[in-house]
């Protein structure tokens, strides 16, 4: 059961911002013999993203990783703000907010590791996946029951949709 303050934070969301590795994936990176990186995505997370978008919530994916397979996932989910190879995520997120005409307080960011800590501390609804680092969990207003790559993003999408005005 969510308290009234947390429900208000979910209601205020205009942008769902996502980390990739460890959040939309389980954090595992597989390599073929040729050196190609492979990641596994959970289909229910993708469907949650599509439903959130259909409800009028913008979605951003901001990741340090940069591979053709990630670009393909961004394309498949029709994510408008897909940013790969981003070491410092907060300036990228601020630019997206400026383009959308919203404030950081209207952003939900979902992450698992320390490289997202500054973003989590800046947004209105910081979310950590269940298997996030302890420091990330401590910075979160909400910690998912599901782990990254195993329905955590879908859990957040469902909560946004449940509490959308």
């Amino acid at each position: 059961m969510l308290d009234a303050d947390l429900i208000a934070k979910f209601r205020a969301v205009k942008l769902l911002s996502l980390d990739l590795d460890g959040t939309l994936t389980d954090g595992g990176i597989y390599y073929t013999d040729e050196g190609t990186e492979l990641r596994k995505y959970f289909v229910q997370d993708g469907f949650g993203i599509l439903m959130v978008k259909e409800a009028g919530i913008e979605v951003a994916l901001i990741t340090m990783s940069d591979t053709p397979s990630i670009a393909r996932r961004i394309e498949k989910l029709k994510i408008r703000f897909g940013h790969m190879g981003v070491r410092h995520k907060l300036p990228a997120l601020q630019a997206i907010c400026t383009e959308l005409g919203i404030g950081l307080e209207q952003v939900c960011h979902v992450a698992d590791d320390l490289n997202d800590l500054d973003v989590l501390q800046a947004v209105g609804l910081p979310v950590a996946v269940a298997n996030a680092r302890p420091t990330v969990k401590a910075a979160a207003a909400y910690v998912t029951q599901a782990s990254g790559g195993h329905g955590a993003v879908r859990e957040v999408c469902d909560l946004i949709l449940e509490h959308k005005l």
Side-chain angles (χ1 to χ4, degrees), residues 34-154:
E34 295 78 27
T36 303
E37 284 186 16
L38 303 172
R39 289 168 174 80
K40 180 183 78 164
Y41 297 95
F42 191 61
V43 71
Q44 290 179 14
D45 287 340
F47 190 64
I49 289 168
L50 294 174
M51 290 190 307
V52 163
K53 288 176 49 193
E54 190 173 289
I57 306 294
E58 290 284 353
V59 177
L61 189 147
I62 307 172
T63 179
M64 285 177 51
S65 298
D66 187 1
T67 65
S69 65
I70 297 169
R72 177 67 182 125
R73 188 66 176 157
I74 290 168
E75 177 187 321
K76 183 157 181 83
L77 294 175
K78 297 176 176 58
I79 295 174
R80 179 176 168 194
F81 299 101
H83 296 271
M84 301 182 306
V86 178
R87 182 157 176 80
H88 302 290
K89 296 181 182 184
L90 186 55
L93 181 59
Q94 289 168 320
I96 293 167
C97 288
T98 298
E99 184 174 337
L100 292 173
I102 64 171
L104 287 169
E105 71 279 358
Q106 295 172 297
V107 176
C108 171
H109 185 71
V110 187
D112 72 310
D113 216 333
L114 299 176
N115 61 318
D116 284 272
L117 200 53
D118 61 338
V119 175
L120 292 168
Q121 293 168 336
V123 300
L125 180 53
V127 174
V129 297
N131 57 319
R133 303 302 307 155
T135 305
V136 173
K137 287 182 179 180
Y142 181 78
V143 177
T144 64
Q145 293 180 15
S147 293
H150 295 279
V153 170
R154 176 60 179 269

Side-chain angles (χ1 to χ4, degrees), residues 1-7 10 142 159 162-163:
M1 189 75 175
L2 304 181
D3 66 27
D5 182 53
L6 193 51
I7 289 171
F10 275 104
Y142 181 78
L159 286 167
E162 179 182 339
H163 298 293

